[in-house]
Amino acid sequence: MRNYVFDFTHCYKEHYPHLQYFDCSDIEGTRLFCEKKAEDRLKSLLKENGICGIHFIDSGDYHYITKFMTDFIKEPFDLVLIDHHTDMQSSIVGDMLSCGNWAKKVLSNPYLHQLYLIGPEKHDLRSVENQSKVIDISIEELEQGCSIPLETKYPVYISIDKDVLSEKYAITNWNQGDMSLGMLENVLAYFLKQCEVIGIDICGDDPEMEDFPEYIKAERINSLSDEALYKTCMKILQRRKRV
């Protein structure tokens, strides 16, 4: 298991010394949309370092990296996506991969068995396509105490966008949900305990905030949540490894 960060905006460099660090700031054509040359470079990094482990991948602008992660899985698997958005929009610029359509593209992966989409608001889930492959749980259902209908016998890859959290626990550059950090940790722990986990990635920061005091505040809040999620993952994964 190799834990690392893909840092496009220098939001991690000083705060994650325990993780392998990759400076991706010189890779052009990456923000929001991913150009082919950038895809080739990023996939080369993934090929060299693997997808097994815990990975921080900068702001939600780069969430499409999860698509690249899952492209390396060559066995039946389930994807657990915890996000305020569905990330299943139609392509805006040709067929170019983006942070808004990557999950829709993952649905065509022949190895994908099921996508667990957890955290969007109920009205946003109405437009989700290919429902035969999608199990969705809205934030409203979670708040009402609904259980997650786990139906898998396959390993899972887990992807988290911190924009699912309320602004008390994360400051991102996208509109956010109302989930508490405790609820997110509980959902994460549920899958970590029940399933074989291939890998985990976490995104969701606001690296371009212009007001410096607000930037420092956001950096502190996001770092605390990152640390909490990292500890939750490591604690459960290490415990399972010992059993």
Side-chain angles (χ1 to χ4, degrees), residues 134-200:
V134 179
I135 295 176
D136 56 62
I137 302 98
S138 68
I139 182 63
E140 292 91 342
E141 289 173 305
L142 287 174
E143 290 173 342
Q144 291 165 8
C146 294
S147 59
I148 297 171
L150 186 62
E151 300 176 359
T152 185
K153 59 182 180 181
Y154 298 111
V156 301
Y157 186 92
I158 301 173
S159 183
I160 300 169
D161 191 331
K162 295 200 302 287
D163 68 18
V164 77
L165 293 169
S166 76
E167 292 186 1
K168 180 179 179 180
Y169 302 103
I171 305 294
T172 77
N173 58 342
W174 294 90
N175 64 308
Q176 292 182 223
D178 296 312
M179 189 180 291
S180 69
L181 181 60
M183 179 180 286
L184 175 54
E185 288 181 293
N186 286 339
V187 172
L188 176 59
Y190 176 76
F191 285 98
L192 290 171
K193 291 175 181 177
Q194 300 292 327
C195 305
E196 177 188 349
V197 178
I198 299 170
I200 303 159

Side-chain angles (χ1 to χ4, degrees), residues 39 43 47 51-52 67-78 106 108-113 154-157 196 198-199:
E39 176 179 344
K43 282 191 170 180
K47 186 175 181 180
I51 66 168
C52 295
K67 162 74 166 55
F68 300 155
M69 297 277 192
T70 57
D71 285 344
F72 283 91
I73 302 173
K74 302 304 180 184
E75 62 178 319
F77 74 98
D78 287 343
V106 172
S108 64
N109 185 325
Y111 293 102
L112 178 71
H113 168 252
Y154 298 111
V156 301
Y157 186 92
E196 177 188 349
I198 299 170

Side-chain angles (χ1 to χ4, degrees), residues 46 67 83 101-102 126 139 169 177 205 209 214 226 228 233:
L46 292 175
K67 162 74 166 55
D83 200 317
N101 68 20
W102 69 268
R126 294 171 187 161
I139 182 63
Y169 302 103
D205 286 273
M209 189 176 290
E214 288 298 312
D226 282 347
C233 293

